[in-house]
Amino acid sequence: MHLLVIDDDPTTADLLKAILQTMNVVADIDQVTSGSEGIQKVQEQQPDVVILDLVMPEMDGWKVCQEIRSFSNVPILILSALDQPGHVAAALDAGADDYLIKPVSASILVAHLHTLLRRTLKANTQPLAMTPPPLRP
């Protein structure tokens, strides 16, 4: 699993690595500390999941989410300390797939990541709709 963490706090990726290792989840984690860097990394690397904070300088997470959605369907998990219903709704409306409030337990985080990956895998492996051959008279 390749995760991209977009968070202005550089310790977030280290904490995620520790959590995932504790849960025996193999993950390659990259972190950027600004929204513009995050958008660029999504374009370059096409990660399996983006973990995005909302409160960042320069470009907030809502704007980053909208920008990523304009070119990618990568699953976006918001991981934020903001816990008001309006913030959650705005993030989901901006294109996020899921929202967790910090601090979050390791098992809940892993379960949500697995759900996003399962949904993505299922969507990518759906059989293509085939047009039946034309009927012959």
PDB file of all heavy atoms in Angstrom, residues 3-20 29-33 51-53 55-56 77-81 102 104 109:
ATOM      1  N   LEU A   3       0.864   5.134   0.624  1.00  0.00           N
ATOM      2  CA  LEU A   3       0.108   6.236   1.196  1.00  0.00           C
ATOM      3  C   LEU A   3       0.853   7.538   0.968  1.00  0.00           C
ATOM      4  O   LEU A   3       2.071   7.600   1.094  1.00  0.00           O
ATOM      5  CB  LEU A   3      -0.073   6.052   2.705  1.00  0.00           C
ATOM      6  CG  LEU A   3      -0.760   4.794   3.189  1.00  0.00           C
ATOM      7  CD1 LEU A   3      -0.775   4.776   4.707  1.00  0.00           C
ATOM      8  CD2 LEU A   3      -2.166   4.711   2.645  1.00  0.00           C
ATOM      9  N   LEU A   4       0.104   8.576   0.672  1.00  0.00           N
ATOM     10  CA  LEU A   4       0.655   9.926   0.623  1.00  0.00           C
ATOM     11  C   LEU A   4      -0.024  10.723   1.720  1.00  0.00           C
ATOM     12  O   LEU A   4      -1.256  10.837   1.747  1.00  0.00           O
ATOM     13  CB  LEU A   4       0.406  10.591  -0.733  1.00  0.00           C
ATOM     14  CG  LEU A   4       0.831  12.063  -0.814  1.00  0.00           C
ATOM     15  CD1 LEU A   4       2.337  12.221  -0.606  1.00  0.00           C
ATOM     16  CD2 LEU A   4       0.396  12.671  -2.130  1.00  0.00           C
ATOM     17  N   VAL A   5       0.782  11.253   2.636  1.00  0.00           N
ATOM     18  CA  VAL A   5       0.274  12.074   3.730  1.00  0.00           C
ATOM     19  C   VAL A   5       0.538  13.530   3.376  1.00  0.00           C
ATOM     20  O   VAL A   5       1.677  13.905   3.095  1.00  0.00           O
ATOM     21  CB  VAL A   5       0.969  11.715   5.064  1.00  0.00           C
ATOM     22  CG1 VAL A   5       0.467  12.610   6.185  1.00  0.00           C
ATOM     23  CG2 VAL A   5       0.750  10.245   5.399  1.00  0.00           C
ATOM     24  N   ILE A   6      -0.538  14.326   3.380  1.00  0.00           N
ATOM     25  CA  ILE A   6      -0.413  15.760   3.134  1.00  0.00           C
ATOM     26  C   ILE A   6      -0.805  16.447   4.442  1.00  0.00           C
ATOM     27  O   ILE A   6      -1.985  16.521   4.798  1.00  0.00           O
ATOM     28  CB  ILE A   6      -1.328  16.226   1.980  1.00  0.00           C
ATOM     29  CG1 ILE A   6      -1.060  15.414   0.717  1.00  0.00           C
ATOM     30  CG2 ILE A   6      -1.125  17.722   1.723  1.00  0.00           C
ATOM     31  CD1 ILE A   6      -2.052  15.677  -0.415  1.00  0.00           C
ATOM     32  N   ASP A   7       0.210  16.901   5.173  1.00  0.00           N
ATOM     33  CA  ASP A   7      -0.004  17.487   6.498  1.00  0.00           C
ATOM     34  C   ASP A   7       1.182  18.381   6.814  1.00  0.00           C
ATOM     35  O   ASP A   7       2.328  17.977   6.611  1.00  0.00           O
ATOM     36  CB  ASP A   7      -0.121  16.367   7.535  1.00  0.00           C
ATOM     37  CG  ASP A   7      -0.633  16.842   8.882  1.00  0.00           C
ATOM     38  OD1 ASP A   7      -0.295  17.973   9.295  1.00  0.00           O
ATOM     39  OD2 ASP A   7      -1.359  16.079   9.528  1.00  0.00           O
ATOM     40  N   ASP A   8       0.908  19.582   7.322  1.00  0.00           N
ATOM     41  CA  ASP A   8       1.997  20.505   7.628  1.00  0.00           C
ATOM     42  C   ASP A   8       2.774  20.107   8.872  1.00  0.00           C
ATOM     43  O   ASP A   8       3.827  20.665   9.152  1.00  0.00           O
ATOM     44  CB  ASP A   8       1.477  21.945   7.749  1.00  0.00           C
ATOM     45  CG  ASP A   8       0.459  22.116   8.847  1.00  0.00           C
ATOM     46  OD1 ASP A   8      -0.383  21.211   9.034  1.00  0.00           O
ATOM     47  OD2 ASP A   8       0.475  23.159   9.521  1.00  0.00           O
ATOM     48  N   ASP A   9       2.311  19.110   9.611  1.00  0.00           N
ATOM     49  CA  ASP A   9       3.032  18.609  10.786  1.00  0.00           C
ATOM     50  C   ASP A   9       3.886  17.416  10.353  1.00  0.00           C
ATOM     51  O   ASP A   9       3.353  16.344  10.044  1.00  0.00           O
ATOM     52  CB  ASP A   9       2.044  18.190  11.860  1.00  0.00           C
ATOM     53  CG  ASP A   9       2.718  17.651  13.112  1.00  0.00           C
ATOM     54  OD1 ASP A   9       3.969  17.597  13.169  1.00  0.00           O
ATOM     55  OD2 ASP A   9       1.983  17.273  14.047  1.00  0.00           O
ATOM     56  N   PRO A  10       5.211  17.590  10.331  1.00  0.00           N
ATOM     57  CA  PRO A  10       6.076  16.507   9.832  1.00  0.00           C
ATOM     58  C   PRO A  10       6.074  15.245  10.686  1.00  0.00           C
ATOM     59  O   PRO A  10       6.508  14.193  10.232  1.00  0.00           O
ATOM     60  CB  PRO A  10       7.467  17.140   9.784  1.00  0.00           C
ATOM     61  CG  PRO A  10       7.395  18.344  10.644  1.00  0.00           C
ATOM     62  CD  PRO A  10       5.962  18.774  10.705  1.00  0.00           C
ATOM     63  N   THR A  11       5.549  15.312  11.900  1.00  0.00           N
ATOM     64  CA  THR A  11       5.531  14.112  12.742  1.00  0.00           C
ATOM     65  C   THR A  11       4.364  13.181  12.397  1.00  0.00           C
ATOM     66  O   THR A  11       4.351  12.035  12.837  1.00  0.00           O
ATOM     67  CB  THR A  11       5.450  14.486  14.233  1.00  0.00           C
ATOM     68  OG1 THR A  11       4.239  15.216  14.465  1.00  0.00           O
ATOM     69  CG2 THR A  11       6.645  15.315  14.664  1.00  0.00           C
ATOM     70  N   THR A  12       3.419  13.649  11.611  1.00  0.00           N
ATOM     71  CA  THR A  12       2.251  12.830  11.294  1.00  0.00           C
ATOM     72  C   THR A  12       2.639  11.548  10.562  1.00  0.00           C
ATOM     73  O   THR A  12       2.151  10.469  10.893  1.00  0.00           O
ATOM     74  CB  THR A  12       1.243  13.632  10.450  1.00  0.00           C
ATOM     75  OG1 THR A  12       0.841  14.782  11.203  1.00  0.00           O
ATOM     76  CG2 THR A  12       0.027  12.799  10.112  1.00  0.00           C
ATOM     77  N   ALA A  13       3.507  11.652   9.574  1.00  0.00           N
ATOM     78  CA  ALA A  13       3.916  10.452   8.828  1.00  0.00           C
ATOM     79  C   ALA A  13       4.636   9.465   9.742  1.00  0.00           C
ATOM     80  O   ALA A  13       4.415   8.249   9.639  1.00  0.00           O
ATOM     81  CB  ALA A  13       4.800  10.826   7.647  1.00  0.00           C
ATOM     82  N   ASP A  14       5.475   9.964  10.636  1.00  0.00           N
ATOM     83  CA  ASP A  14       6.170   9.073  11.570  1.00  0.00           C
ATOM     84  C   ASP A  14       5.172   8.347  12.471  1.00  0.00           C
ATOM     85  O   ASP A  14       5.308   7.148  12.724  1.00  0.00           O
ATOM     86  CB  ASP A  14       7.163   9.863  12.424  1.00  0.00           C
ATOM     87  CG  ASP A  14       8.316  10.415  11.617  1.00  0.00           C
ATOM     88  OD1 ASP A  14       8.629   9.846  10.544  1.00  0.00           O
ATOM     89  OD2 ASP A  14       8.911  11.427  12.040  1.00  0.00           O
ATOM     90  N   LEU A  15       4.175   9.074  12.936  1.00  0.00           N
ATOM     91  CA  LEU A  15       3.151   8.462  13.781  1.00  0.00           C
ATOM     92  C   LEU A  15       2.358   7.415  13.003  1.00  0.00           C
ATOM     93  O   LEU A  15       2.109   6.318  13.497  1.00  0.00           O
ATOM     94  CB  LEU A  15       2.209   9.545  14.326  1.00  0.00           C
ATOM     95  CG  LEU A  15       1.087   9.071  15.234  1.00  0.00           C
ATOM     96  CD1 LEU A  15       1.642   8.362  16.462  1.00  0.00           C
ATOM     97  CD2 LEU A  15       0.216  10.251  15.643  1.00  0.00           C
ATOM     98  N   LEU A  16       2.001   7.726  11.762  1.00  0.00           N
ATOM     99  CA  LEU A  16       1.281   6.757  10.932  1.00  0.00           C
ATOM    100  C   LEU A  16       2.118   5.506  10.676  1.00  0.00           C
ATOM    101  O   LEU A  16       1.605   4.389  10.717  1.00  0.00           O
ATOM    102  CB  LEU A  16       0.860   7.384   9.613  1.00  0.00           C
ATOM    103  CG  LEU A  16      -0.299   8.368   9.699  1.00  0.00           C
ATOM    104  CD1 LEU A  16      -0.467   9.111   8.387  1.00  0.00           C
ATOM    105  CD2 LEU A  16      -1.586   7.657  10.077  1.00  0.00           C
ATOM    106  N   LYS A  17       3.410   5.693  10.407  1.00  0.00           N
ATOM    107  CA  LYS A  17       4.287   4.542  10.193  1.00  0.00           C
ATOM    108  C   LYS A  17       4.300   3.654  11.432  1.00  0.00           C
ATOM    109  O   LYS A  17       4.203   2.428  11.324  1.00  0.00           O
ATOM    110  CB  LYS A  17       5.711   5.004   9.878  1.00  0.00           C
ATOM    111  CG  LYS A  17       5.870   5.532   8.479  1.00  0.00           C
ATOM    112  CD  LYS A  17       7.286   6.018   8.242  1.00  0.00           C
ATOM    113  CE  LYS A  17       7.390   6.712   6.898  1.00  0.00           C
ATOM    114  NZ  LYS A  17       8.697   7.287   6.647  1.00  0.00           N
ATOM    115  N   ALA A  18       4.418   4.266  12.604  1.00  0.00           N
ATOM    116  CA  ALA A  18       4.442   3.497  13.850  1.00  0.00           C
ATOM    117  C   ALA A  18       3.125   2.755  14.054  1.00  0.00           C
ATOM    118  O   ALA A  18       3.117   1.575  14.425  1.00  0.00           O
ATOM    119  CB  ALA A  18       4.722   4.428  15.027  1.00  0.00           C
ATOM    120  N   ILE A  19       2.014   3.427  13.807  1.00  0.00           N
ATOM    121  CA  ILE A  19       0.701   2.792  13.962  1.00  0.00           C
ATOM    122  C   ILE A  19       0.563   1.609  13.015  1.00  0.00           C
ATOM    123  O   ILE A  19       0.160   0.518  13.416  1.00  0.00           O
ATOM    124  CB  ILE A  19      -0.427   3.818  13.709  1.00  0.00           C
ATOM    125  CG1 ILE A  19      -0.511   4.810  14.865  1.00  0.00           C
ATOM    126  CG2 ILE A  19      -1.769   3.122  13.494  1.00  0.00           C
ATOM    127  CD1 ILE A  19      -1.455   5.975  14.603  1.00  0.00           C
ATOM    128  N   LEU A  20       0.906   1.809  11.762  1.00  0.00           N
ATOM    129  CA  LEU A  20       0.734   0.737  10.775  1.00  0.00           C
ATOM    130  C   LEU A  20       1.677  -0.432  11.043  1.00  0.00           C
ATOM    131  O   LEU A  20       1.304  -1.590  10.855  1.00  0.00           O
ATOM    132  CB  LEU A  20       0.910   1.289   9.364  1.00  0.00           C
ATOM    133  CG  LEU A  20      -0.168   2.303   8.948  1.00  0.00           C
ATOM    134  CD1 LEU A  20       0.157   2.890   7.585  1.00  0.00           C
ATOM    135  CD2 LEU A  20      -1.552   1.687   8.966  1.00  0.00           C
ATOM    136  N   ILE A  29       5.066   5.022   2.921  1.00  0.00           N
ATOM    137  CA  ILE A  29       4.443   6.298   3.259  1.00  0.00           C
ATOM    138  C   ILE A  29       5.351   7.447   2.849  1.00  0.00           C
ATOM    139  O   ILE A  29       6.504   7.507   3.258  1.00  0.00           O
ATOM    140  CB  ILE A  29       4.143   6.393   4.768  1.00  0.00           C
ATOM    141  CG1 ILE A  29       3.211   5.256   5.197  1.00  0.00           C
ATOM    142  CG2 ILE A  29       3.528   7.757   5.110  1.00  0.00           C
ATOM    143  CD1 ILE A  29       2.944   5.201   6.683  1.00  0.00           C
ATOM    144  N   ASP A  30       4.804   8.337   2.033  1.00  0.00           N
ATOM    145  CA  ASP A  30       5.474   9.587   1.679  1.00  0.00           C
ATOM    146  C   ASP A  30       4.704  10.711   2.335  1.00  0.00           C
ATOM    147  O   ASP A  30       3.476  10.634   2.463  1.00  0.00           O
ATOM    148  CB  ASP A  30       5.482   9.815   0.165  1.00  0.00           C
ATOM    149  CG  ASP A  30       6.423   8.869  -0.555  1.00  0.00           C
ATOM    150  OD1 ASP A  30       7.511   8.587  -0.019  1.00  0.00           O
ATOM    151  OD2 ASP A  30       6.062   8.411  -1.645  1.00  0.00           O
ATOM    152  N   GLN A  31       5.423  11.772   2.720  1.00  0.00           N
ATOM    153  CA  GLN A  31       4.743  12.922   3.297  1.00  0.00           C
ATOM    154  C   GLN A  31       5.232  14.200   2.663  1.00  0.00           C
ATOM    155  O   GLN A  31       6.426  14.351   2.386  1.00  0.00           O
ATOM    156  CB  GLN A  31       4.944  13.018   4.806  1.00  0.00           C
ATOM    157  CG  GLN A  31       4.208  14.238   5.377  1.00  0.00           C
ATOM    158  CD  GLN A  31       4.233  14.333   6.877  1.00  0.00           C
ATOM    159  OE1 GLN A  31       5.027  13.687   7.540  1.00  0.00           O
ATOM    160  NE2 GLN A  31       3.359  15.143   7.419  1.00  0.00           N
ATOM    161  N   VAL A  32       4.301  15.097   2.428  1.00  0.00           N
ATOM    162  CA  VAL A  32       4.605  16.454   2.012  1.00  0.00           C
ATOM    163  C   VAL A  32       3.923  17.378   3.010  1.00  0.00           C
ATOM    164  O   VAL A  32       2.936  16.999   3.645  1.00  0.00           O
ATOM    165  CB  VAL A  32       4.145  16.747   0.572  1.00  0.00           C
ATOM    166  CG1 VAL A  32       4.934  15.904  -0.423  1.00  0.00           C
ATOM    167  CG2 VAL A  32       2.664  16.522   0.400  1.00  0.00           C
ATOM    168  N   THR A  33       4.462  18.588   3.136  1.00  0.00           N
ATOM    169  CA  THR A  33       3.956  19.485   4.168  1.00  0.00           C
ATOM    170  C   THR A  33       3.173  20.673   3.622  1.00  0.00           C
ATOM    171  O   THR A  33       2.877  21.602   4.364  1.00  0.00           O
ATOM    172  CB  THR A  33       5.114  19.982   5.056  1.00  0.00           C
ATOM    173  OG1 THR A  33       6.095  20.594   4.221  1.00  0.00           O
ATOM    174  CG2 THR A  33       5.738  18.838   5.836  1.00  0.00           C
ATOM    175  N   ILE A  51      -3.891  10.645   2.657  1.00  0.00           N
ATOM    176  CA  ILE A  51      -4.342  11.047   3.988  1.00  0.00           C
ATOM    177  C   ILE A  51      -4.071  12.540   4.082  1.00  0.00           C
ATOM    178  O   ILE A  51      -2.932  12.983   3.927  1.00  0.00           O
ATOM    179  CB  ILE A  51      -3.612  10.263   5.096  1.00  0.00           C
ATOM    180  CG1 ILE A  51      -3.936   8.769   4.956  1.00  0.00           C
ATOM    181  CG2 ILE A  51      -4.008  10.793   6.469  1.00  0.00           C
ATOM    182  CD1 ILE A  51      -3.212   7.870   5.941  1.00  0.00           C
ATOM    183  N   LEU A  52      -5.124  13.304   4.305  1.00  0.00           N
ATOM    184  CA  LEU A  52      -5.061  14.755   4.171  1.00  0.00           C
ATOM    185  C   LEU A  52      -5.539  15.456   5.435  1.00  0.00           C
ATOM    186  O   LEU A  52      -6.608  15.139   5.957  1.00  0.00           O
ATOM    187  CB  LEU A  52      -5.934  15.163   2.976  1.00  0.00           C
ATOM    188  CG  LEU A  52      -6.145  16.629   2.673  1.00  0.00           C
ATOM    189  CD1 LEU A  52      -4.833  17.329   2.331  1.00  0.00           C
ATOM    190  CD2 LEU A  52      -7.143  16.787   1.528  1.00  0.00           C
ATOM    191  N   ASP A  53      -4.752  16.423   5.889  1.00  0.00           N
ATOM    192  CA  ASP A  53      -5.159  17.291   6.992  1.00  0.00           C
ATOM    193  C   ASP A  53      -5.899  18.480   6.396  1.00  0.00           C
ATOM    194  O   ASP A  53      -5.661  18.864   5.246  1.00  0.00           O
ATOM    195  CB  ASP A  53      -3.930  17.758   7.772  1.00  0.00           C
ATOM    196  CG  ASP A  53      -4.291  18.514   9.039  1.00  0.00           C
ATOM    197  OD1 ASP A  53      -5.400  18.309   9.571  1.00  0.00           O
ATOM    198  OD2 ASP A  53      -3.458  19.314   9.507  1.00  0.00           O
ATOM    199  N   VAL A  55      -6.312  21.693   8.114  1.00  0.00           N
ATOM    200  CA  VAL A  55      -5.771  22.991   8.524  1.00  0.00           C
ATOM    201  C   VAL A  55      -4.287  23.054   8.180  1.00  0.00           C
ATOM    202  O   VAL A  55      -3.457  22.431   8.839  1.00  0.00           O
ATOM    203  CB  VAL A  55      -5.984  23.236  10.035  1.00  0.00           C
ATOM    204  CG1 VAL A  55      -5.440  24.591  10.437  1.00  0.00           C
ATOM    205  CG2 VAL A  55      -7.464  23.125  10.379  1.00  0.00           C
ATOM    206  N   MET A  56      -4.000  23.783   7.097  1.00  0.00           N
ATOM    207  CA  MET A  56      -2.621  23.963   6.651  1.00  0.00           C
ATOM    208  C   MET A  56      -2.477  25.391   6.137  1.00  0.00           C
ATOM    209  O   MET A  56      -3.440  25.961   5.631  1.00  0.00           O
ATOM    210  CB  MET A  56      -2.276  22.983   5.519  1.00  0.00           C
ATOM    211  CG  MET A  56      -2.291  21.531   5.926  1.00  0.00           C
ATOM    212  SD  MET A  56      -1.754  20.439   4.585  1.00  0.00           S
ATOM    213  CE  MET A  56      -3.094  20.626   3.411  1.00  0.00           C
ATOM    214  N   LEU A  77      -8.652  10.239   2.486  1.00  0.00           N
ATOM    215  CA  LEU A  77      -9.069  10.109   3.875  1.00  0.00           C
ATOM    216  C   LEU A  77      -8.654  11.377   4.606  1.00  0.00           C
ATOM    217  O   LEU A  77      -7.456  11.681   4.682  1.00  0.00           O
ATOM    218  CB  LEU A  77      -8.418   8.890   4.524  1.00  0.00           C
ATOM    219  CG  LEU A  77      -8.560   8.745   6.034  1.00  0.00           C
ATOM    220  CD1 LEU A  77     -10.017   8.534   6.425  1.00  0.00           C
ATOM    221  CD2 LEU A  77      -7.707   7.600   6.544  1.00  0.00           C
ATOM    222  N   ILE A  78      -9.621  12.121   5.115  1.00  0.00           N
ATOM    223  CA  ILE A  78      -9.312  13.300   5.913  1.00  0.00           C
ATOM    224  C   ILE A  78      -8.999  12.824   7.323  1.00  0.00           C
ATOM    225  O   ILE A  78      -9.764  12.061   7.918  1.00  0.00           O
ATOM    226  CB  ILE A  78     -10.503  14.290   5.947  1.00  0.00           C
ATOM    227  CG1 ILE A  78     -10.904  14.730   4.542  1.00  0.00           C
ATOM    228  CG2 ILE A  78     -10.182  15.480   6.851  1.00  0.00           C
ATOM    229  CD1 ILE A  78      -9.877  15.519   3.781  1.00  0.00           C
ATOM    230  N   LEU A  79      -7.874  13.279   7.854  1.00  0.00           N
ATOM    231  CA  LEU A  79      -7.473  12.986   9.232  1.00  0.00           C
ATOM    232  C   LEU A  79      -7.231  14.333   9.889  1.00  0.00           C
ATOM    233  O   LEU A  79      -6.211  14.982   9.629  1.00  0.00           O
ATOM    234  CB  LEU A  79      -6.222  12.113   9.243  1.00  0.00           C
ATOM    235  CG  LEU A  79      -5.762  11.571  10.586  1.00  0.00           C
ATOM    236  CD1 LEU A  79      -6.858  10.746  11.247  1.00  0.00           C
ATOM    237  CD2 LEU A  79      -4.502  10.733  10.412  1.00  0.00           C
ATOM    238  N   SER A  80      -8.199  14.772  10.679  1.00  0.00           N
ATOM    239  CA  SER A  80      -8.171  16.143  11.190  1.00  0.00           C
ATOM    240  C   SER A  80      -8.635  16.203  12.637  1.00  0.00           C
ATOM    241  O   SER A  80      -9.413  15.360  13.087  1.00  0.00           O
ATOM    242  CB  SER A  80      -9.080  17.025  10.324  1.00  0.00           C
ATOM    243  OG  SER A  80      -9.125  18.341  10.815  1.00  0.00           O
ATOM    244  N   ALA A  81      -8.181  17.228  13.340  1.00  0.00           N
ATOM    245  CA  ALA A  81      -8.644  17.476  14.703  1.00  0.00           C
ATOM    246  C   ALA A  81      -9.975  18.224  14.709  1.00  0.00           C
ATOM    247  O   ALA A  81     -10.620  18.324  15.744  1.00  0.00           O
ATOM    248  CB  ALA A  81      -7.593  18.268  15.476  1.00  0.00           C
ATOM    249  N   LYS A 102      -8.784  13.196  14.724  1.00  0.00           N
ATOM    250  CA  LYS A 102      -7.604  12.939  15.553  1.00  0.00           C
ATOM    251  C   LYS A 102      -7.965  13.196  17.010  1.00  0.00           C
ATOM    252  O   LYS A 102      -8.688  14.141  17.293  1.00  0.00           O
ATOM    253  CB  LYS A 102      -6.456  13.889  15.185  1.00  0.00           C
ATOM    254  CG  LYS A 102      -5.890  13.744  13.817  1.00  0.00           C
ATOM    255  CD  LYS A 102      -4.818  14.820  13.615  1.00  0.00           C
ATOM    256  CE  LYS A 102      -4.335  14.910  12.199  1.00  0.00           C
ATOM    257  NZ  LYS A 102      -3.381  15.989  12.010  1.00  0.00           N
ATOM    258  N   VAL A 104      -7.081   9.114  16.590  1.00  0.00           N
ATOM    259  CA  VAL A 104      -7.860   7.956  16.170  1.00  0.00           C
ATOM    260  C   VAL A 104      -7.105   6.690  16.574  1.00  0.00           C
ATOM    261  O   VAL A 104      -5.878   6.669  16.569  1.00  0.00           O
ATOM    262  CB  VAL A 104      -8.122   7.995  14.648  1.00  0.00           C
ATOM    263  CG1 VAL A 104      -6.837   7.922  13.864  1.00  0.00           C
ATOM    264  CG2 VAL A 104      -9.085   6.917  14.218  1.00  0.00           C
ATOM    265  N   LEU A 109      -8.210   3.309  12.224  1.00  0.00           N
ATOM    266  CA  LEU A 109      -7.502   3.854  11.069  1.00  0.00           C
ATOM    267  C   LEU A 109      -7.239   2.763  10.034  1.00  0.00           C
ATOM    268  O   LEU A 109      -7.524   2.939   8.845  1.00  0.00           O
ATOM    269  CB  LEU A 109      -6.186   4.502  11.492  1.00  0.00           C
ATOM    270  CG  LEU A 109      -5.299   5.010  10.355  1.00  0.00           C
ATOM    271  CD1 LEU A 109      -5.998   6.107   9.564  1.00  0.00           C
ATOM    272  CD2 LEU A 109      -3.973   5.512  10.906  1.00  0.00           C
TER     273      LEU A 109
END
